[in-house]
Amino acid sequence: MSTAPSAGTEPWMRETLRRGFESLSAGRIEDASACCRKVLSARRDLPEGHFLVGLIALELKETGRAVQAFGSVTKLQPDHAAAWANLARLFMRAGQSARADAALAKAVEHNDNNPIVLDLIGTIHGLLGDQAEAGKWIQRALKKQPENIAFQINLANNHMFLDQLDDAEALLASVLKRAPGHPNAHWLLSGLRKAKNRDHIDELRRLVEGERDNPRALAFLYYGLGKELEDLEDWDNAFEAFARGAAARRTTIDFDEA
């Protein structure tokens, strides 16, 4: 999620920011961070520079730094919908629902129909428990980018919350037609209905073998596998699948037990 440079920004700053956002999208965190430092050392009041810092912090799971960066953006540019939306999600994850509500209201007020922001606003409504409102925003995002798989997954999940199972199934079928191994789609499909045979279980086992180095994907696949094995009352294998999924998921979470 990038943002357009402010009017009056010097050309070299615009180019550096562009490289920074591209580097982040490509997973080159160090390069993106270097671009931030270069721009912000020359101009501390540049909202786009702080926004990029926030996105990098999200990627690195540095929640406090992300909140600080997006907060700086909203102070410098109070109508920055994307920063407000990211703050709302961070506050919600931290259990600060009042602050999340306030930030969400600002994101809604200033949204400029950027599809990524629309989807994020929908996601936050879902986290706040308003699934009907969430679906409206995600559908607006999909209308702008009908082929966006992430939006389709989010809407399928929303349909499941609203017990619109046929609609969810149709969306997941569309996703898996284009991305047959999509872990999140397979996990949602496993939870859609009670398994009656081992067809999807066998497919999930094949997919697991191809994702040994991707713990996030393994977590989705193993949880889906465990759920379907449980449906078939294959208790021992279901427990093993859930345990493997939990172990994979644990490696992706930065958690301080103390």
Side-chain angles (χ1 to χ4, degrees), residues 28-234:
R28 300 192 301 273
I29 304 299
E30 286 299 322
D31 291 344
S33 297
C35 291
C36 282
R37 289 192 294 271
K38 184 177 181 180
V39 169
L40 291 176
S41 65
R43 184 174 166 187
R44 292 295 301 174
D45 65 345
L46 192 63
E48 297 84 359
H50 291 284
F51 188 74
L52 181 54
V53 171
L55 295 182
I56 293 170
L58 287 180
E59 189 68 22
L60 296 175
K61 299 182 176 65
E62 297 176 351
T63 301
R65 186 175 174 220
V67 169
Q68 185 178 35
F70 292 130
S72 295
V73 175
T74 60
K75 289 176 183 176
L76 293 166
Q77 186 179 335
D79 64 350
H80 199 296
W84 283 116
N86 276 287
L87 279 174
R89 179 170 58 178
L90 288 165
F91 290 147
M92 194 63 210
R93 287 178 175 174
Q96 300 176 25
S97 57
R99 296 182 75 184
D101 278 332
L104 177 59
K106 290 289 187 181
V108 169
E109 177 185 354
H110 299 300
N111 98 83
D112 58 357
N113 284 319
N114 180 313
I116 296 176
V117 176
L118 295 174
D119 177 72
L120 185 50
I121 289 173
T123 297
I124 299 159
H125 276 296
L127 291 173
L128 288 167
D130 191 347
Q131 297 296 337
E133 186 67 17
K136 295 176 184 177
W137 287 90
I138 300 169
Q139 286 174 339
R140 286 177 62 181
L142 255 180
K143 187 174 181 180
K144 288 186 167 295
Q145 292 185 359
E147 301 302 311
N148 188 305
I149 286 179
F151 297 168
Q152 290 178 323
I153 289 287
N154 287 344
L155 187 59
N157 195 34
N158 176 259
H159 284 323
M160 291 175 69
F161 271 107
L162 295 173
D163 202 31
Q164 298 167 348
L165 302 186
D166 290 341
D167 291 335
E169 191 169 28
L171 269 173
L172 293 173
S174 174
V175 169
L176 291 173
K177 184 176 181 179
R178 294 167 52 211
H182 198 290
N184 199 343
H186 279 287
W187 172 61
L188 289 175
L189 188 62
S190 294
L192 194 60
R193 306 183 194 280
K194 188 172 182 177
K196 298 184 181 302
N197 56 55
R198 291 183 174 264
D199 292 348
H200 194 219
I201 288 173
D202 293 340
E203 184 175 4
L204 289 170
R205 289 192 186 281
R206 287 194 298 272
L207 291 170
V208 161
E209 292 304 317
E211 297 286 0
R212 290 297 181 186
D213 297 325
N214 187 343
R216 188 174 297 276
L218 284 176
F220 282 124
L221 295 171
Y222 273 127
Y223 283 144
L225 181 60
K227 188 272 178 186
E228 295 201 27
L229 288 167
E230 188 177 52
D231 287 343
L232 298 180
E233 301 184 3
D234 187 347

